[in-house]
Amino acid sequence: KQWYQRRVRGACYEIQREVQHQRERQRSNLKNYEHSNYETCRAVVRRRPDLFVDLIKNLADVWLPLNALQITQHSPGLVGLCGTISSLLGALTVWDRSLKLGTL
């Protein structure tokens, strides 16, 4: 249970920090242009693809222990899909070190 909470808090902290940083950059660069949340998220993904890959991997990982602990009930197909996504993204971070969170 604590592992799950640490993963979620860590991912939320990283996303919040990057979104705030991106908004500050946008304010300093273009003071008269208003950016939407969608544009801010796109800018964060372009600037930090490692954060995006880690977020998707963590979202896929969240459901696996919840299902194993029987907190939620998901079909075996969904559990398999989440495990496959997590494994593929994990392999991708091994292949391309720039996509591993914290290596920049």
Side-chain angles (χ1 to χ4, degrees):
K1 202 172 189 177
Q2 291 175 355
W3 169 85
Y4 172 74
Q5 291 172 350
R6 282 194 307 264
R7 287 288 282 239
V8 171
R9 274 186 285 179
C12 290
Y13 173 75
E14 286 292 328
I15 292 168
Q16 178 186 16
R17 192 176 73 166
E18 284 303 315
V19 167
Q20 286 176 348
H21 184 269
Q22 186 63 31
R23 285 186 178 160
E24 288 171 5
R25 287 182 64 209
Q26 288 172 348
R27 277 190 218 120
S28 66
N29 290 340
L30 302 170
K31 293 184 180 182
N32 296 330
Y33 183 74
E34 188 172 320
H35 293 277
S36 68
N37 287 335
Y38 176 73
E39 291 168 340
T40 302
C41 289
R42 280 187 53 199
V44 168
V45 168
R46 273 187 268 127
R47 186 172 166 268
R48 294 284 310 269
D50 59 329
L51 182 64
F52 180 71
V53 168
D54 193 63
L55 172 68
I56 300 301
K57 187 167 108 23
N58 284 338
L59 287 175
D61 279 342
V62 160
W63 303 111
L64 300 175
L66 292 178
N67 198 55
L69 295 172
Q70 296 180 349
I71 295 172
T72 61
Q73 296 295 321
H74 297 292
S75 69
L78 180 63
V79 172
L81 178 65
C82 289
T84 301
I85 290 170
S86 177
S87 296
L88 288 175
L89 291 177
L92 182 65
T93 60
V94 170
W95 185 325
D96 185 357
R97 285 291 190 189
S98 68
L99 295 176
K100 185 168 179 71
L101 189 62
T103 59
L104 292 177

